[in-house]
Structures are given as C-alpha cells and as structure tokens.
Amino acid sequence: MGSAVAQCPHGITSHSTGNLGQKKLGYSSRCSKFPCQLDFARFGLLHQGSSAASSSDHSTEFGRRINAVPDMDDMFWDKVPTPLLDMVENPIHLKNLSVQELKELASEIRSELSCIMSEKPNSLKASLAVVELTIAIHHVFHAPVDKILWDVGEQTYAHKILTGRRALMRMMRQKNGLSSFTSRFESEYDSFGTGHGCNSVSAGLGMAIARDIKGKRDRVVTVISNATTLAGQVYEAMSNAGYLDSNMIVILNDSRRSLHPKIEQEPKTSITALSSTLIKIQSSKSFRKFREAAKGITKRIGRGMHELAAKFDEYARGMIGPQGSTLFEELGLYYIGPVDGHNLEDLICVLQQVSSLDSMGPVLIHVITEDNHQDAECNEKIEADNPQEGYDDSVSSSVQTRTYSDCLVDSLLMEAEKHKDIVLVHAGMEMEPSFQVLQETFADRFFDVGMAEQHAVTFSAGLSRGGLRPFCIIPSTFLQRAYDQVVHDVDRQKIPVRFVITSAGLVGNSGPVYCGAFDVTFMSCLPNMIVMAPSDEDELVDMVATAAQIDDRPVCFRYPRGAIVRTDHFMHPGIPLEIGKGRVLVEGKEVALLGYGAMVQNCLKAQALLSRLGIEVTVADARFCKPLDTELLTLLCENHKFLITVEEGSIGGFASHVAQFIALNGHLDGTVKVMNIRNFHFW
C-alpha cells in the first residue's frame, strides 16, 4: 500500500492511502477555498461491522461503512484491464488526472459496469450515460465536504464505483450488499438518500440554507433527470431556491427521453462549437459579474429601465438557449447550457467556473447525454443481458412466467369491452411491459403521466367527474406521495376512482425504496374507501369487475409483484363480489388462519403441512380489509380457540382492523386468543 498526500493552496491538506500501483497521484490543483484544514483519510469507507466511531454529524449506523478494495484480481478475473480505475479508491484520486486520463477512466468505468452488472436484470443505460458527468463532478468538487445529491438511483452506479464501493457492486440488490440507490447509511459520499426521485433539489436547498446559517463554504450539487422534471416538487423547490437566492448548483441530465413520442420526434437541440463557446461565456465569472453589475445600474436608473433590461436579457438568453430554457430563468435559476454531457473538457470547464462563483445564487446547468453512448460491443452485451429495459422484476426474464399484471391487463381488456367509458391512468417511474399492451390497444383511453403521481390521482378524479370510469394504476410505494390528493380530491368527495395498487408487499431485490408496506394502512383509514386484495389471479379478475361496477365511492385493490398462483393461463370473465364478504376455504378445528391478499396462499401451505401432523385448521380468505366481513369474524371467534391473522404490511393494517372489531364487540371476553403474523414486523 502506498500513500499520497495532497496539499491544496487554500488550506486543505488531504491524506490518502491505497494501492496506487507504480504511479503516485498528486493533488495540488483545483482545490476549493475552505477556512479549515481537512484530513481526507477520515472519509475513507470502513469495512462493514467496523468498530470505528462514526462522525458526529451522522447516525450511529454510519459506523458500518463499506470498503471497496479487496484483491481485485480474485474478484474480476475475466474483466477488461482497468489500470487507471484500479488506482482510484475514492474521488481524491481524480484530482490530478489529466483530461486524457479522465477520458480513459470513463472508458474503463463503462467496461467495469458492463462486466459487473451483466448478471443484473435492470438497465445500465442511465448510469452509462452519466459516466463523464460523474467523473467531472468528482474531479471538480470535494465530496463528502461538498454535498452531491442524486435524484435517480439508476444514475449513481459510476458514483458508487468512484466512492469506494467498487468491489461490492456485484452484491447490489442482495442481502447485506449495496443498495441500488444512494444511502446515508452506506457511504458518507451519499449526502442524501435517493428514493422516488424529485427530492434532491428540495433537500439540496435545505443543505444550502443550513450552510449559510452556519457560515460554512461547502457547495451543494444536485443532479436531476428527465423523469424528475415530470414531478411538481422539482418546480416547487426551484421556485423557492430562486426566491431564497442561496448558492447551489442544479444539473439537469437531459437524455432527450420523453413520455410523448411527438416531442421526441421533433428536431433536437444540437451542440456545436459555437454553443460550446457560448456556454463557457455564460458560466464565466466575469460575465456573471458584469450581468450583476448591469442589474444594479438599471435599478438605480429606474424601475422601467430595469424591467426593460431584464426583458432584453431574457430574450437574448432565450435566443441562445434551447426551447424552454427561459422557464428556469423565470423560476430564479441562472441557466447555463446546453452542455455536451460526454465532453469532459466542457463539463470540467463549466463546473470549475460555476464552483468558483460566490454569492451568485442558484444555477441550473443543462447537460445533454445519450443513453446509448458506448461502443458497439458494449451496447450489444447490454441489450442481450437486459431484454426488458427499465423494468426490474423478481421473476427471471428468461422464464415466460405469467404475472399478476398480465392477468390485470387481460381482465381490464374484458371490462373495457363491456364498459366503453373505462379509461386508464398510469403513474410511476417505469411502465411494466404488460401495460404496454393496454397502451397500444386503448391509445385514446390510456394516459401515462410518469412520475407525476399527485397529478395522476387528481386527474383521475376529474375524469370520473366528467362521467368516465378511471382505473388509476400506481405502484404501492409511489402512491404514498399522492396521499394528500387521495384524501382531499377523491375520498373526501366520494369520487369513484378505482386505484390499482401494483407491486404491493415485498418486492424482492428492489429493496426498501420500492417496498409496498404501507398502502393497506393508509388507504383503510379513509372513511369512504373500499379496500380489498385478491388471494390469487381469479380473485384479481373478480375484483377488477367489482371495481368497474362501483360508482358511488372510491375503491382500491392491491396485488403483489411476481408470478400468479397457478400455471394454467385460463381466464374466466370477472364476476363482481359482494362488498365486504370473505370466504372459508378449508374448515378445521380450534385454530383459524385468516389471510389477507397474497398471504392466503401461505395460509393454505401452512394448513397442508399441519394436516400431515394431524392438526386440522380452518383457512379463511378475508378479501376485504374495509369493510370487514364481521359475520365471518364472529363465526371464526365463536368456533375456534385461536384466531391468527396473516398479512403482508405494516402495523395499522388488516390485523389492526380485525383487532378493533374483536375488542369493541366483546369477542375477547370469550375463549378465543388472537395473534397476528406479518412480514413487516420490524415496522
């Protein structure tokens, strides 16, 4: 192991230890001016389970940090040689690399990602597109002192490699492995947890204001994407950032992807030598100072002159920038762009210029990237390994397994033939392949709004008030941030919106961010909402038919990610269920298992195992959490000594409703004993 010491000219002394091979890297250039001395060695990532004390600014769980540098030869024996990347253990090692070396490093990172992630079903294109941008950010800024925030987890893989987690990338989405998102508990280079997107500007602005109040000098950099800009929180945060006028940098990674094909077919903004020169002028310190000085002069002359000058400035910059660029100016962010996201010279130049500005307010840098920016061999490998781009499922794509979503699509197609007023609204990060059939079949009745879940809910309410039958399809975890709209725009007004809650319960290797643990709890507490869950694909079809018939109140039903119960593909026409009625599947003695949703199948498996031991138990399918089947509950309590509810959700869900009914109706005064089994016992 060698060591390298960096002495920055403005008071930062950095120390780094690592296997640097035959080349020692120095770090004397492009260091920021901070009033304190900084020992970068304390920012090294420790082994999991390390007993080292965590920083006082982080939680106690931060002590379990991750180190990336075991013997790389043992880990990646079949990979393309990566001599430069092998020398990079953390971002400080990028500081003194030349632009040419940084370009070579970008190529090595792409090869590394393609090798590491070849076994993963999720798409690599988002991270491959931002390799140069990630390198430029870490080359110019000084994480973790400077705060770098990301909105989309799929863009952070290169960031993880450069921040000491390279060796654990193969364990992404595995137990005790890396998260596919940024996590404060995983690395101190992750300033804020990436979740559903659109949060980084709000969190970054909070960090910037906290920095100003405390009199610190660190920088805040947030990276957002096309998908992020579909969510309203981004514009709320930008508007507030423009008003507060605190220094922060927002980088819009524009991959030129849109939900609207017509927009994608329009001529795209080109990046030429002239535009490259203009963005360097835009970002220069002298130009920004001249612009601020001109503002001050026109204010002194008079309000009319100031407004005229502001309009002229906006018009001139609108002529230079691409269509829509003045929107950010109106929100109060100084717009710079577009910048070629694969041109390291331009990226580094612009970021260095912007990082050197003090008291200039928030800045938005518009960066253009290409999802398929890689060599042909790498592209072919990714396409072969990832046939279903952008959608991660726990079921292997190599096995043609029928899923609950497939059944939902078939049942919706049948119901849409009966009810010509059925419309479909879809919201979420990505669209499952199954739903593309609906989109193609009902092009004029299918509305995909992307990450704008709040809009999806209120939009559905408007469709309903207009005389249509909307089915609003949203994954469980994304419905959480539209809850206010569910309460005020739907339930309180008793508007019949039919919520299809997908990916409910455990979601396998997608981790806690996508985990659908809370929907039963927060939907069943609403006064007018009907809450149900199918135990298998047949009940799912029936619940679609049930929801289509309800026209006086909202209704929701959830189903899990993954394969259906049976292997046959027979689809029967949906039969509407009686609201609030469950059923007994197996009759037994003394012990009753009352399952809700997908957990009914676990109850049946438990019953089969117990019957081999001579223990006969009753298995009941609740079907409804709200309203409860009180007759069924009374029957189970009176005829059994033990009632066990089984669900997949958090505290406050199905079992809580059962317990409340039993307690309020005096069933606990008898001999029955009640207990609950849930998968999410840790909540």
Side-chain angles (χ1 to χ4, degrees):
M1 297 292 286
S3 64
V5 178
Q7 183 65 48
C8 295
H10 298 298
I12 300 180
T13 303
S14 61
H15 303 275
S16 175
T17 60
N19 184 8
L20 302 181
Q22 296 180 352
K23 181 176 179 179
K24 300 288 183 69
L25 303 179
Y27 319 101
S28 59
S29 65
R30 304 183 183 94
C31 293
S32 301
K33 185 176 181 180
F34 290 95
C36 61
Q37 285 207 343
L38 173 66
D39 184 356
F40 277 91
R42 75 179 184 88
F43 293 119
L45 300 182
L46 307 178
H47 288 281
Q48 284 189 342
S50 171
S51 60
S54 62
S55 171
S56 59
D57 293 334
H58 300 76
S59 72
T60 55
E61 293 186 48
F62 214 107
R64 298 189 58 193
R65 296 171 191 153
I66 298 173
N67 186 20
V69 195
D71 190 340
M72 303 307 269
D73 294 331
D74 293 338
M75 195 86 180
F76 308 114
W77 61 89
D78 58 345
K79 70 180 182 68
V80 177
T82 53
L84 275 172
L85 184 56
D86 292 343
M87 294 189 293
V88 176
E89 296 179 15
N90 57 61
I92 193 66
H93 295 148
L94 301 178
K95 297 301 178 184
N96 215 36
L97 293 180
S98 66
V99 172
Q100 183 58 41
E101 288 172 321
L102 292 175
K103 291 179 180 179
E104 294 173 10
L105 179 63
S107 178
E108 292 181 10
I109 290 176
R110 281 198 170 87
S111 298
E112 185 80 3
L113 281 172
S114 301
C115 175
I116 292 174
M117 307 301 291
S118 62
E119 301 172 0
K120 304 295 180 183
N122 53 301
S123 174
L124 282 174
K125 289 187 175 181
S127 272
L128 291 172
V130 296
V131 169
E132 285 87 0
L133 177 60
T134 306
I135 290 173
I137 289 173
H138 282 296
H139 179 73
V140 173
F141 297 97
H142 303 280
V145 175
D146 290 335
K147 306 300 186 294
I148 300 172
L149 295 82
W150 302 79
D151 252 2
V152 182
E154 286 75 12
Q155 295 183 355
T156 63
Y157 299 161
H159 164 77
K160 287 176 180 284
I161 287 178
L162 293 175
T163 53
R165 288 167 276 184
R166 179 187 179 191
L168 293 175
M169 290 294 290
R170 285 187 183 272
M171 295 183 64
M172 186 178 292
R173 296 176 180 259
Q174 297 180 19
K175 184 178 181 181
N176 297 325
L178 291 182
S179 167
S180 56
F181 303 90
T182 56
S183 171
R184 295 190 307 112
F185 307 111
E186 184 177 288
S187 170
E188 57 196 332
Y189 289 97
D190 294 350
S191 301
F192 199 81
T194 301
H196 295 162
C198 84
N199 64 352
S200 68
V201 181
S202 298
L205 179 59
M207 294 178 183
I209 295 299
R211 171 204 62 202
D212 296 343
I213 292 174
K214 292 187 175 182
K216 295 183 178 181
R217 300 287 298 278
D218 53 283
R219 291 140 175 122
V220 177
V221 182
T222 71
V223 184
I224 63 177
S225 68
N226 298 89
T228 299
T229 58
L230 296 173
Q233 183 180 351
V234 168
Y235 302 103
E236 295 174 13
M238 287 184 182
S239 178
N240 193 218
Y243 172 75
L244 296 174
D245 202 35
S246 182
N247 282 359
M248 68 177 297
I249 300 167
V250 179
I251 299 175
L252 170 58
N253 169 36
D254 182 3
S255 60
R256 295 173 171 175
R257 289 294 185 94
S258 171
L259 292 174
H260 309 289
K262 291 182 180 179
I263 295 178
E264 290 189 355
Q265 293 169 5
E266 291 180 357
K268 297 178 179 178
T269 303
S270 60
I271 300 176
T272 62
L274 176 60
S275 63
S276 176
T277 302
L278 289 174
I279 58 113
K280 292 174 183 177
I281 295 174
Q282 279 183 301
S283 60
S284 67
K285 190 171 184 178
S286 56
F287 180 81
R288 291 288 303 277
K289 284 188 173 182
F290 171 77
R291 187 170 180 263
E292 294 299 317
K295 283 184 180 180
I297 293 173
T298 55
K299 282 182 180 179
R300 291 191 185 96
I301 295 175
R303 181 178 178 181
M305 178 60 70
H306 176 68
E307 291 178 352
L308 180 64
K311 288 181 179 179
F312 178 79
D313 177 65
E314 180 181 338
Y315 177 77
R317 288 168 53 73
M319 291 288 289
I320 296 173
Q323 184 177 3
S325 61
T326 54
L327 167 65
F328 303 108
E329 292 277 350
E330 292 292 339
L331 291 172
L333 281 73
Y334 180 78
Y335 175 87
I336 298 173
V339 184
D340 184 351
H342 304 293
N343 186 321
L344 272 166
E345 291 97 331
D346 284 358
L347 285 171
I348 291 173
C349 176
V350 170
L351 291 176
Q352 283 178 339
Q353 294 275 22
V354 172
S355 69
S356 67
L357 300 177
D358 293 323
S359 304
M360 291 288 189
V363 174
L364 184 132
I365 304 174
H366 183 187
V367 175
I368 303 292
T369 61
E370 298 290 343
D371 281 351
N372 59 349
H373 187 82
Q374 63 251 350
D375 56 55
E377 181 180 353
C378 177
N379 190 40
E380 290 176 4
K381 180 176 178 60
I382 293 170
E383 293 295 339
D385 292 331
N386 302 278
Q388 293 183 343
E389 173 193 340
Y391 177 66
D392 175 34
D393 205 326
S394 57
V395 181
S396 172
S397 59
S398 62
V399 181
Q400 297 299 319
T401 306
R402 188 167 171 80
T403 67
Y404 277 94
S405 291
D406 294 328
C407 293
L408 174 73
V409 169
D410 290 343
S411 60
L412 284 173
L413 290 172
M414 288 190 293
E415 291 300 322
E417 291 299 323
K418 301 177 188 176
H419 306 282
K420 300 302 182 181
D421 54 356
I422 285 180
V423 291
L424 307 165
V425 179
H426 177 272
M429 289 283 289
E430 298 284 352
M431 186 188 298
E432 295 184 34
S434 303
F435 297 140
Q436 293 175 5
V437 176
L438 287 174
Q439 189 176 34
E440 294 168 1
T441 307
F442 299 108
D444 58 338
R445 288 195 275 168
F446 188 99
F447 305 94
D448 181 23
V449 301
M451 202 186 293
E453 292 87 1
Q454 298 97 322
H455 166 65
V457 172
T458 306
F459 176 54
S460 298
L463 290 170
S464 180
R465 291 294 300 128
L468 299 176
R469 298 175 191 251
F471 279 78
C472 186
I473 306 171
I474 304 181
S476 174
T477 186
F478 296 114
L479 183 60
Q480 293 166 185
R481 63 184 185 187
Y483 190 58
D484 182 66
Q485 285 71 25
V486 173
V487 174
H488 291 285
D489 298 340
V490 176
D491 188 82
R492 189 175 62 82
Q493 303 184 53
K494 298 185 69 173
I495 295 178
V497 173
R498 299 141 190 93
F499 292 99
V500 182
I501 305 173
T502 70
S503 298
L506 292 173
V507 289
N509 59 10
S510 292
V513 169
Y514 285 107
C515 187
F518 308 109
D519 59 271
V520 178
T521 299
F522 65 68
M523 296 297 272
S524 62
C525 70
L526 300 177
N528 300 308
M529 185 73 64
I530 296 174
V531 182
M532 52 188 178
S535 62
D536 57 26
E537 60 274 18
D538 289 336
E539 280 195 342
L540 174 61
V541 174
D542 291 340
M543 288 183 180
V544 172
T546 304
Q549 295 288 340
I550 297 172
D551 59 3
D552 61 344
R553 74 192 82 173
V555 58
C556 70
F557 57 91
R558 63 172 352 219
Y559 66 82
R561 174 184 292 188
I564 59 177
V565 176
R566 297 196 311 273
T567 56
D568 63 88
H569 290 188
F570 174 74
M571 278 287 297
H572 72 279
I575 302 174
L577 303 173
E578 183 180 354
I579 302 300
K581 288 297 179 182
R583 59 175 178 165
V584 175
L585 300 177
V586 180
E587 291 189 7
K589 303 175 182 178
E590 296 191 342
V591 178
L593 300 176
L594 178 59
Y596 181 67
M599 292 297 99
V600 172
Q601 300 303 320
N602 288 10
C603 294
L604 291 172
K605 292 176 183 177
Q607 182 272 333
L609 292 173
L610 291 171
S611 65
R612 298 175 188 175
L613 302 175
I615 304 173
E616 300 300 328
V617 301
T618 297
V619 176
D621 176 8
R623 283 180 170 169
F624 292 85
C625 176
K626 181 177 176 291
L628 282 172
D629 188 342
T630 56
E631 292 182 7
L632 176 61
L633 282 175
T634 300
L635 182 67
L636 295 176
C637 290
E638 291 177 349
N639 297 324
H640 299 83
K641 293 182 179 179
F642 298 92
L643 174 61
I644 303 173
T645 60
V646 186
E647 64 177 320
E648 191 176 39
S650 66
I651 294 173
F654 173 68
S656 298
H657 285 258
V658 172
Q660 183 183 28
F661 169 78
I662 291 175
L664 293 179
N665 287 272
H667 293 296
L668 292 179
D669 299 336
T671 59
V672 67
K673 296 181 179 179
V674 182
M675 69 173 293
N676 170 251
I677 297 175
R678 64 168 57 89
N679 280 351
F680 300 100
H681 61 277
F682 45 86
W683 272 303

